[in-house]
Amino acid sequence: MFFDSMLGWFSLDMGIDLGTCNTLVCVRGQGIVLNEPSVVAVKKGTNIVLHNGNAVGLVAKEMLGKTPGNITAVRPLKDGVISDFEITEAMLTYFIRRVHGRRRFVRPRVVIAIPSGITAVEKQAVFHSALQAEARRVYLVSEPMASAIGAGLPIREPTASMIVDIGGGTTEVAIISLGDMAVSESIRTAGDNFDEAIVNHMKKTYNLMIGEQFSERIKIELGSASAVGPETTMEVRGRDMISGLPRKCIITSEEIREALLEPIGKIIDAVTHTLERAEPELAADLVETGITMAGGGSLLRGIDKVISQATGLPVRLAEDPLTCVARGTNVLLENLEELKEALESDVDEM
Ligand code: ADP
Ligand code: MG
């Protein structure tokens, strides 16, 4: 272990947030160096990765809609589980190699944050891919733990901290105390489902088909979970489902809030359910410490307010919610010795 720490000074140790929507990589001592969509371009109907595995991230996302019909973009972790091992491996390998390059003589240690719903077999696949990509040591940490660390919560103290991380594909809820997750829940309802709810609303109410990227824009510009600030409107363009022709209409922030009720209700249920399962002592701590929210989905206007109303607890948003997990992996890298009980490693010597 001492030798390993010494090598650390020469290698480009990395922390990776392997998110369902976005992958972020940070390097010890440098902070975040890469932030790209978790997307891989493949030949349609196959798991053949295009361009020798170099069509990953932004490049892959930009290929969408600009290429002939034989290419699709895949999000291999869309639901918080690995849908395809080969594609996930190609993605992870690409990101690690791009950051590491051929600059260093010593291979890196890598801390990877993964959705907590991932199975043992899927974990092995992540270990395997990182080792394939020339990592010297690989440590896995669950996303809510990394998120709590990145949000600056006192996870090692004997008081309870609660984190709600709303990503694209999954929402991770955890109550942490003494460096361990006391209770946790991972559900497959998150930001993507907000987009979906908006697509469905447009179909049902206006017979208008809109694309996923556009519905995400509506969510970000107009969406809310509770009435905060002035109500606004937005012009939406899409394709009429009956005539097949392009058409536009005007929508309001109130109707979008209504459309988002269902997925937001599921997230609230996961939060209250987790609280119900906590030991009374931990629950008592939370009256003081409250809930911290992270992940891109927590940026939806007023979502902190509805969660506070549903639980009666104070709710705050972490600083820079989209980078919490990545920053958490960076803290882990810098304190591997003290924090390694929060990690799983590729070898058992720990
Ligand atoms: P993951 O960790 O699963 O990769 P992220 O934490 O990167 O997910 O969050 C991605 C989600 O956050 C997407 O659904 C995206 O639409 C959503 N998002 C990003 N910014 C905002 C915003 N300002 N308002 C609402 N949702 C947002
Ligand atoms: Mg995340």
Side-chain angles (χ1 to χ4, degrees):
M1 203 63 214
F2 174 71
F3 182 61
D4 221 36
S5 313
M6 290 298 291
L7 279 182
W9 292 107
F10 300 104
S11 73
L12 213 58
D13 291 340
M14 284 179 226
I16 303 177
D17 167 10
L18 194 58
T20 65
C21 254
N22 298 298
T23 298
L24 282 73
V25 181
C26 48
V27 167
R28 190 168 45 82
Q30 292 178 29
I32 295 164
V33 296
L34 181 148
N35 182 351
E36 298 213 13
S38 308
V39 179
V40 182
V42 298
K43 205 168 158 208
K44 201 167 195 166
T46 71
N47 56 4
I48 301 167
V49 178
L50 294 174
H51 303 302
N52 295 324
N54 287 324
V56 177
L58 266 181
V59 181
K61 208 175 178 186
E62 278 168 4
M63 282 172 104
L64 272 177
K66 290 182 191 159
T67 44
N70 58 353
I71 294 173
T72 48
V74 175
R75 282 173 54 196
L77 288 149
K78 194 172 188 296
D79 299 311
V81 294
I82 295 178
S83 60
D84 188 296
F85 289 128
E86 280 170 53
I87 296 175
T88 307
E89 194 166 312
M91 186 174 87
L92 194 54
T93 307
Y94 171 84
F95 286 135
I96 293 177
R97 292 214 172 127
R98 215 181 87 194
V99 169
H100 195 248
R102 305 242 169 261
R103 280 170 291 173
R104 300 288 169 132
F105 169 64
V106 183
R107 294 186 291 146
R109 288 181 297 185
V110 180
V111 172
I112 307 176
I114 48 168
S116 63
I118 238 169
T119 65
V121 176
E122 290 169 333
K123 274 184 195 164
Q124 284 310 316
V126 174
F127 275 129
H128 177 77
S129 328
L131 291 168
Q132 280 293 101
E134 275 135 50
R136 172 167 98 257
R137 290 288 299 274
V138 184
Y139 305 89
L140 300 189
V141 60
S142 78
E143 199 177 359
M145 182 63 91
S147 192
I149 295 172
L153 299 182
I155 58 135
R156 290 208 287 166
E157 309 276 307
T159 46
S161 297
M162 183 163 185
I163 186 91
V164 175
D165 185 306
I166 307 176
T170 60
T171 295
E172 313 263 352
V173 184
I175 298 174
I176 301 169
S177 161
L178 292 168
D180 214 353
M181 294 203 286
V183 217
S184 70
E185 188 158 330
S186 171
I187 58 162
R188 294 184 195 179
T189 300
D192 290 344
N193 303 83
F194 300 164
D195 305 348
E196 247 174 62
I198 294 172
V199 170
N200 290 337
H201 169 75
M202 295 309 294
K203 273 192 211 160
K204 232 173 44 201
T205 315
Y206 299 99
N207 280 323
L208 199 70
M209 292 278 283
I210 58 166
E212 258 173 47
Q213 313 235 12
F214 196 59
S215 77
E216 186 184 18
R217 243 187 69 202
I218 297 175
K219 171 181 73 178
I220 292 173
E221 283 180 26
L222 202 64
S224 62
S226 62
V228 283
E231 302 292 353
T232 45
T233 59
M234 186 173 167
E235 184 181 280
V236 175
R237 277 147 304 170
R239 187 159 53 84
D240 190 285
M241 287 167 69
I242 296 160
S243 71
L245 298 173
R247 179 162 68 80
K248 61 184 181 188
C249 69
I250 305 276
I251 57 169
T252 68
S253 49
E254 286 104 323
E255 65 182 284
I256 295 304
R257 185 156 61 243
E258 184 83 24
L260 295 177
L261 276 179
E262 199 214 316
I264 287 169
K266 285 188 180 157
I267 291 173
I268 291 173
D269 287 348
V271 173
T272 52
H273 191 228
T274 306
L275 281 167
E276 282 159 20
R277 283 163 56 221
E279 293 293 333
E281 287 79 6
L282 294 180
D285 288 346
L286 294 173
V287 175
E288 279 299 311
T289 57
I291 299 175
T292 302
M293 297 190 71
S298 71
L299 290 168
L300 185 75
R301 279 174 215 90
I303 196 155
D304 48 343
K305 198 168 147 200
V306 289
I307 290 182
S308 180
Q309 278 164 354
T311 57
L313 296 176
V315 176
R316 73 173 184 103
L317 213 62
E319 200 179 305
D320 201 3
L322 279 158
T323 62
C324 258
V325 173
R327 287 183 288 113
T329 62
N330 205 21
V331 172
L332 283 162
L333 274 180
E334 280 167 3
N335 304 277
L336 264 182
E337 288 306 305
E338 303 103 88
L339 294 174
K340 65 185 176 195
E341 77 264 26
L343 300 166
E344 278 182 57
S345 151
D346 59 320
V347 286
D348 293 330
E349 56 140 53
M350 312 193 28

